């Protein structure tokens, strides 16, 4: 039964949990920004992220090699002691979602995405974001477009409760296509050392809760764009999965910023583990915070996969495993709590829904 028939996920090989805060912990993830290939006919075989130009396995291999140079790398963010606290830092970009902004000539939301991708990473350690820096690079500066991008960044910082401290604008003639730019963001937060979320206390029987995404967020757009080409759908066409917006407007819906929700939960309930569902989906990201010897059982009926993802799978003939490894499929953040705290957590955040339970074993299975 496919994702278009029932909300479910499957297990993949478990990754070792990395990046525990001891003295200083670094973070590094790899995102391939390949723009993908044009497709003119419906695929005889299912589309994949790799066929769209993004090789997750190659990125994983690079991280493994980097870990040989610095074994502490691998968490969602990096931590360094600072008095009785940790400073927590993360960096990310928006990826090829920017191509949609260029084509739609709509630049006021990708700045929110930029902030979200970094702050959502550092809050997995329990850190409150303090400040944000941006890097904006383009071939020839379009002041109006750049202003709209920065307005989005300011909006994202307000949602996160942090300050836009500064940034860099780089004009690089001949390096980018006309009308295009790239973005990178850098967030720094802080958390008391006795409040750090490490995942170390997670045990069998703990409950896994989910927070809904707003859509594709900022991962998997090389595959999204390839599906649109295969299906001959323009960004300006009505969204084929329904709703009253164009496909482009719906896909540009900004990434949810979970900062205030997570901070309230951690302060009032206490969280054992947090997982930002980005590239790799729940398939690869959940095992990053689960201790060795433990796995997670996820209920296939816990949530309804949004119509957007159902359409992408059907139009691209994408396998369930590929969908789950590429997209969030409707779940943007995962929370692990003690079973005694489930009711209290739901009282604080009515948007939480139960996904499953921590069990003895490894990896993620679906029941």
């Amino acid at each position: 039964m496919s994702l278009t028939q029932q909300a479910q996920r499957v297990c993949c090989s478990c990754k070792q949990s990395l990046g525990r805060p001891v003295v200083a912990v670094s973070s590094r993830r790899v995102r391939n920004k390949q723009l993908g290939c044009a497709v003119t006919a419906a695929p005889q075989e299912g589309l994949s992220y790799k066929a769209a130009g993004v090789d997750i396995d190659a990125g994983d291999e690079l991280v493994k090699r980097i870990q040989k140079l610095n074994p502490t790398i691998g968490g969602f963010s990096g931590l360094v002691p600072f008095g009785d606290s940790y400073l927590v830092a993360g960096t990310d970009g928006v990826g090829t979602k920017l191509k949609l902004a260029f084509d739609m000539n709509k630049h006021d939301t990708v700045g929110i995405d930029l902030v979200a991708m970094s702050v959502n990473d550092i809050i997995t350690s329990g850190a409150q974001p303090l400040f944000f820096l941006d890097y904006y690079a383009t071939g020839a500066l379009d002041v109006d477009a750049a202003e709209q991008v920065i307005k989005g960044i300011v909006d994202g910082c307000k949602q996160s409760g942090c300050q836009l401290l500064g940034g860099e604008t780089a004009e690089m003639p001949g390096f980018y296509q006309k009308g295009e730019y790239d973005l990178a963001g850098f967030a720094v937060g802080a958390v008391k050392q006795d409040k750090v979320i490490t995942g170390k206390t997670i045990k069998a029987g703990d409950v896994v809760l989910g927070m809904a995404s707003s859509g594709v967020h900022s991962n998997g757009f090389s595959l999204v764009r390839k599906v649109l080409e295969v299906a001959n759908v323009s960004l300006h066409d009505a969204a084929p999965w329904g709703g009253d917006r164009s496909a482009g407007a719906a896909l540009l819906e900004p990434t949810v910023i979970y900062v205030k929700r997570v901070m309230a939960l951690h302060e009032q309930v206490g969280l054992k583990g947090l997982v930002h569902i980005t590239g790799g989906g729940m398939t690869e990201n959940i095992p990053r915070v689960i201790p060795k010897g433990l796995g997670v059982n996820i209920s296939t009926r816990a949530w309804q996969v949004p119509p957007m993802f159902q359409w992408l799978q059907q139009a691209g003939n994408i396998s369930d495993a590929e969908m789950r490894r590429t997209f969030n499929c409707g779940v943007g953040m995962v929370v692990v709590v003690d079973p005694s705290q489930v009711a209290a957590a739901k009282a604080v955040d009515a948007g939480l829904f139960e996904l499953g339970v921590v069990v003895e074993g490894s990896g993620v299975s679906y029941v």
Side-chain angles (χ1 to χ4, degrees), residues 123-274:
I123 61 174
T124 62
S125 297
Q128 169 63 50
L130 298 176
F131 61 85
F132 187 83
L133 300 166
D134 72 89
Y135 175 78
Y136 180 102
T138 186
L141 185 61
D142 180 333
V143 175
D144 292 334
E147 180 186 20
Q148 290 301 304
V149 172
I150 302 303
K151 285 177 65 176
I153 294 173
V154 170
D155 187 5
C157 288
K158 288 180 180 178
Q159 292 183 40
S160 306
C162 70
Q163 181 178 352
L164 176 60
L165 199 61
E168 170 71 6
T169 301
E171 193 167 14
M172 301 155 60
F175 201 79
Y176 295 93
Q177 296 293 323
K178 183 179 179 181
E180 296 191 351
Y181 53 82
D182 199 9
L183 299 173
F186 315 88
V188 175
V191 58
K192 295 293 185 181
Q193 291 191 12
D194 60 355
K195 293 291 186 180
V196 175
I197 302 171
T198 67
K200 288 182 176 180
T201 62
I202 293 174
K203 66 181 188 305
D206 286 340
V207 178
V208 180
L209 306 172
M211 295 181 177
S213 70
S214 58
V216 183
H217 281 187
S218 299
N219 294 97
F221 275 91
S222 293
L223 183 52
V224 168
R225 291 169 49 247
K226 191 167 186 178
V227 173
L228 291 175
E229 290 191 60
V230 166
N232 196 29
V233 173
S234 165
L235 294 176
H236 300 279
D237 292 341
W241 49 85
D244 57 1
R245 294 189 291 177
S246 68
L251 287 165
L252 279 174
E253 181 70 26
T255 304
V256 175
I257 292 176
Y258 296 100
V259 174
K260 292 181 180 178
R261 294 174 66 183
V262 165
M263 292 297 105
L265 280 168
H266 193 40
E267 179 181 348
Q268 299 181 49
V269 177
L271 304 176
K272 288 190 168 187
L274 276 165

Side-chain angles (χ1 to χ4, degrees), residues 5-324:
Q5 297 168 303
Q6 179 176 315
Q8 62 180 350
R9 303 198 187 275
V10 296
C11 171
C12 82
S13 58
C14 177
K15 291 193 171 184
Q16 180 179 355
S17 182
L18 298 165
R20 304 297 186 216
V22 181
V23 177
V25 181
S26 302
S27 167
R28 188 178 188 93
R29 293 183 299 144
V30 174
R31 181 202 300 262
N32 190 315
K33 302 244 198 281
Q34 180 79 12
L35 296 183
C37 308
V39 181
T40 57
Q44 297 297 316
E45 297 182 0
L47 296 179
S48 68
Y49 208 17
K50 187 172 183 178
V54 179
D55 190 342
I56 295 177
D57 292 328
D60 291 343
E61 175 61 26
L62 177 57
V63 171
K64 289 178 182 178
R65 296 187 186 188
I66 294 172
Q67 286 167 351
K68 294 178 181 179
L69 303 175
N70 184 348
T72 63
I73 284 176
F76 286 99
S77 54
L79 295 86
V80 62
F82 188 76
D84 63 352
S85 301
Y86 282 107
L87 291 179
V88 184
T91 183
D92 211 330
V94 183
T96 61
K97 189 174 186 176
L98 292 177
K99 292 288 288 184
L100 279 67
F102 305 154
D103 293 344
M104 294 290 291
N105 192 29
K106 180 175 172 57
H107 309 280
D108 59 337
T109 59
V110 291
I112 300 175
D113 288 300
L114 185 68
V115 176
M117 293 303 289
S118 288
V119 297
N120 285 344
D121 273 356
I122 68 173
I123 61 174
T124 62
S125 297
Q128 169 63 50
L130 298 176
F131 61 85
F132 187 83
L133 300 166
D134 72 89
Y135 175 78
Y136 180 102
T138 186
L141 185 61
D142 180 333
V143 175
D144 292 334
E147 180 186 20
Q148 290 301 304
V149 172
I150 302 303
K151 285 177 65 176
I153 294 173
V154 170
D155 187 5
C157 288
K158 288 180 180 178
Q159 292 183 40
S160 306
C162 70
Q163 181 178 352
L164 176 60
L165 199 61
E168 170 71 6
T169 301
E171 193 167 14
M172 301 155 60
F175 201 79
Y176 295 93
Q177 296 293 323
K178 183 179 179 181
E180 296 191 351
Y181 53 82
D182 199 9
L183 299 173
F186 315 88
V188 175
V191 58
K192 295 293 185 181
Q193 291 191 12
D194 60 355
K195 293 291 186 180
V196 175
I197 302 171
T198 67
K200 288 182 176 180
T201 62
I202 293 174
K203 66 181 188 305
D206 286 340
V207 178
V208 180
L209 306 172
M211 295 181 177
S213 70
S214 58
V216 183
H217 281 187
S218 299
N219 294 97
F221 275 91
S222 293
L223 183 52
V224 168
R225 291 169 49 247
K226 191 167 186 178
V227 173
L228 291 175
E229 290 191 60
V230 166
N232 196 29
V233 173
S234 165
L235 294 176
H236 300 279
D237 292 341
W241 49 85
D244 57 1
R245 294 189 291 177
S246 68
L251 287 165
L252 279 174
E253 181 70 26
T255 304
V256 175
I257 292 176
Y258 296 100
V259 174
K260 292 181 180 178
R261 294 174 66 183
V262 165
M263 292 297 105
L265 280 168
H266 193 40
E267 179 181 348
Q268 299 181 49
V269 177
L271 304 176
K272 288 190 168 187
L274 276 165
V275 185
H276 184 199
I277 307 301
T278 56
M282 293 207 310
T283 299
E284 294 194 358
N285 283 300
I286 288 180
R288 295 171 67 182
V289 303
I290 304 298
K292 286 184 179 181
L294 296 176
V296 172
N297 285 348
I298 298 294
S299 170
T300 61
R301 295 173 176 83
W303 81 103
Q304 179 62 47
V305 175
M308 177 187 295
F309 295 105
Q310 296 181 29
W311 181 85
L312 286 169
Q313 180 174 31
Q314 291 176 331
N317 189 25
I318 304 171
S319 71
D320 286 352
E322 190 69 20
M323 287 292 297
R324 294 159 185 150

Side-chain angles (χ1 to χ4, degrees), residues 347-362:
V348 174
D349 191 324
L352 290 171
F353 49 94
E354 293 186 42
L355 286 171
V357 63
V358 178
V359 297
E360 294 183 357
S362 64

